[in-house]
Amino acid sequence: YMDDLNQRVNFLSNWVKSGKRPVVFKLGAFYHPEEFLTAVLQVYARKHQTPFDSLIWVTNVVEKERDQIVERPEEGIYVENLFLEGAKWQKESNSLVECGQIELISTMPVMHLMPSKEKSPYDMTKTYECPMYRTQNRGSGALGLPNYIMSLFLPCDKILPDHWIQRSVAVFITVE
């Protein structure tokens, strides 16, 4: 708990002290990450003069390592420190794969969350709509806060999305 709290405080403190918007965000640092994500959508909607409620999220795994990312994306945001439970990300195949018996939770690479006014670009026979939750408790969180944040669309080349649904694969912004 203390390590997580220290990471949150350091992230927000560095942002305030530097006065610059971070290149990569840690959603777990926000008390209400869904409100931060809504603000990202609102900025996009105003910039492109499009109705806010017509926007969708396009999510992509970034191929670069975290320390190689030095510039913000043109649209949307980069996020890190997302934890995947029930599967793991394989960089070589750019897809979800089975996790080992002792590696139930793994860390996702940096993700690019990009608002879009287009229809969903995904082939849902090869893409798993992975739910992202605040905590590993998939019900309501503390104080009755909703735990579900959004969905990430993750490629799953060789294994059908139904497999990952049956395994209850999910992403969390904080782990206990």
Side-chain angles (χ1 to χ4, degrees):
Y1 172 80
M2 291 306 294
D3 287 340
D4 183 54
L5 179 63
N6 285 331
Q7 287 178 5
R8 290 172 186 236
V9 170
N10 287 336
F11 172 76
L12 294 171
S13 177
N14 290 338
W15 187 0
V16 170
K17 287 177 184 174
S18 73
K20 295 182 202 170
R21 180 180 155 196
V23 173
V24 181
F25 289 92
K26 295 179 183 184
L27 290 180
F30 296 99
Y31 185 70
H32 289 289
E34 65 279 10
E35 291 176 4
F36 171 71
L37 294 170
T38 298
V40 173
L41 289 176
Q42 288 173 332
V43 167
Y44 181 90
R46 288 183 186 133
K47 178 179 177 183
H48 296 279
Q49 299 178 354
T50 189
F52 170 81
D53 59 354
S54 69
L55 297 176
I56 63 165
W57 284 108
V58 174
T59 63
N60 294 303
V61 174
V62 176
E63 292 181 17
K64 294 180 181 178
E65 295 296 323
R66 167 59 181 103
D67 57 350
Q68 296 173 324
I69 301 172
V70 293
E71 291 185 21
R72 293 187 290 269
E74 239 179 81
E75 299 286 356
I77 58 170
Y78 291 133
V79 296
E80 67 178 340
N81 282 17
L82 300 177
F83 304 96
L84 182 64
E85 182 181 69
K88 67 180 180 180
W89 183 257
Q90 187 177 59
K91 187 176 183 177
E92 297 78 29
S93 66
N94 196 38
S95 69
L96 286 177
V97 295
E98 292 288 345
C99 59
Q101 289 182 342
I102 59 170
E103 50 185 3
L104 181 62
I105 296 175
S106 60
T107 304
M108 285 291 295
V110 173
M111 296 287 302
H112 181 196
L113 308 183
M114 187 173 62
S116 176
K117 50 188 170 184
E118 306 298 322
K119 292 192 180 201
S120 177
Y122 303 106
D123 174 357
M124 296 309 289
T125 62
K126 297 178 182 178
T127 305
Y128 173 53
E129 185 175 349
C130 183
M132 179 169 50
Y133 297 100
R134 183 185 313 272
T135 66
Q136 288 176 282
N137 174 8
R138 297 179 192 213
S140 291
L143 305 174
L145 293 172
N147 203 17
Y148 173 79
I149 305 295
M150 64 179 282
S151 290
L152 301 177
F153 296 91
L154 303 175
C156 53
D157 258 357
K158 295 181 172 60
I159 303 174
L160 293 174
D162 291 351
H163 175 78
W164 305 116
I165 292 169
Q166 290 172 351
R167 292 181 66 76
S168 299
V169 171
V171 168
F172 304 96
I173 60 174
T174 58
V175 289
E176 299 162 354

